[in-house]
Amino acid sequence: MNCGICSFPLGSAGIVLEADGSAYRRCGGCGSIVLAPLPTVEANAHFEGEQAVLHQERSDEARAAYFARRLGLLEQAGGPKGRLLDIGCSTGKLMEIARARGWDVQGIELSAALAGAARRRNPGAFVSQGDFLELGELEPATFSAIVALDVIEHVLDPRAFARRARRLLAPGGTLLLQTPNARSLRARLHGAAWNMLIPAYHFHLFAPRALATLLESEGFRVRRLTTASGSGSESGASGRLAAAKQAVLAPARLGNALVVVARAAA
């Protein structure tokens, strides 16, 4: 099996991390962490059902300020507030905030239950239900921006994901990604106990340079690559602690999540 990020042969050697009865391998080529072997389909049962929707709605509401900050990063990259595609839009909270900021929003969600919640929250906005790589109704070069927060780690073929995102963006359009950081301080300290090793639906966990290289090879120019700490829902004392962690860890890219802003090359 080869690494789905850099194509380096994973082989039987190298660092192996056992989690929930499955094995992750640290790629010797790019330093990312890859589930080996990969499943044949992307799992989604965790995000289906009424209780899952209620839980996710509460979580998304608590992260409203976080979503606004992420949209701020996108807007700082420049360009008009045109069509924005939210991949993995969950219950549509980011879409709702983006609409209020002047974006023309559209969403994609693998979970049928969450897609329904996103439609209810954003009446009139188009929300597709299904796999981003398989949906046929998306027109190339029609989006000004694409957002994919905590999505690419769930994808079986991250290179195909990046390639399709590039095709959908107009020249100069902006991509905003967030995903767990395989080189974070927490990942290094916790090893196989790192809480992002979830074999049921985390398949590719990127090292910082590996994510940048992947995007650049598929027609993007990385404008910003930093790390974030915390879940985005903290407030009060926990919010101040998360901000302190961010200030200490971000300069060395040791935060628990990678945050990337990239532009589609002309």
Side-chain angles (χ1 to χ4, degrees), residues 174-232:
T174 306
L175 174 68
L176 171 65
L177 289 179
Q178 180 162 317
T179 190
N181 178 12
R183 288 293 191 183
S184 68
L185 179 63
R186 190 182 300 176
R188 297 179 191 209
L189 292 176
H190 292 185
W194 184 35
N195 63 347
M196 292 294 103
L197 298 180
I198 311 172
Y201 47 85
H202 280 183
F203 308 138
H204 296 92
L205 299 161
F206 289 80
R209 188 61 224 164
L211 181 55
T213 299
L214 174 68
L215 294 175
E216 289 164 356
S217 70
E218 294 298 336
F220 287 96
R221 295 195 182 108
V222 173
R223 303 295 296 272
R224 176 183 179 131
L225 194 162
T226 187
T227 66
S229 300
S231 68

Side-chain angles (χ1 to χ4, degrees), residues 36-115:
L38 290 170
T40 56
V41 296
E42 296 174 17
N44 204 49
H46 180 77
F47 300 101
E48 294 292 358
E50 182 179 348
Q51 290 304 311
V53 171
L54 291 174
H55 171 79
Q56 200 61 40
E57 284 179 332
R58 288 193 293 267
S59 176
D60 288 349
E61 285 292 343
R63 301 176 85 196
Y66 154 80
F67 290 138
R69 290 195 298 272
R70 291 295 173 265
L71 287 168
L73 289 178
L74 186 70
E75 291 160 2
Q76 288 170 19
K81 289 182 180 179
R83 298 184 69 207
L84 181 148
L85 178 63
D86 185 6
I87 304 173
C89 65
S90 184
T91 65
K93 185 62 180 180
L94 183 142
M95 292 174 62
E96 180 183 58
I97 296 169
R99 290 175 73 189
R101 295 168 76 117
W103 291 93
D104 176 15
V105 298
Q106 184 170 335
I108 296 175
E109 175 54 54
L110 187 60
S111 162
L114 295 183

Side-chain angles (χ1 to χ4, degrees), residues 70 186 227-232 234 241-247 249-250 254-257:
R70 291 295 173 265
R186 190 182 300 176
T227 66
S229 300
S231 68
E234 297 89 354
L241 178 59
K245 289 180 180 177
Q246 172 80 6
L249 298 177
L254 291 174
N256 207 44

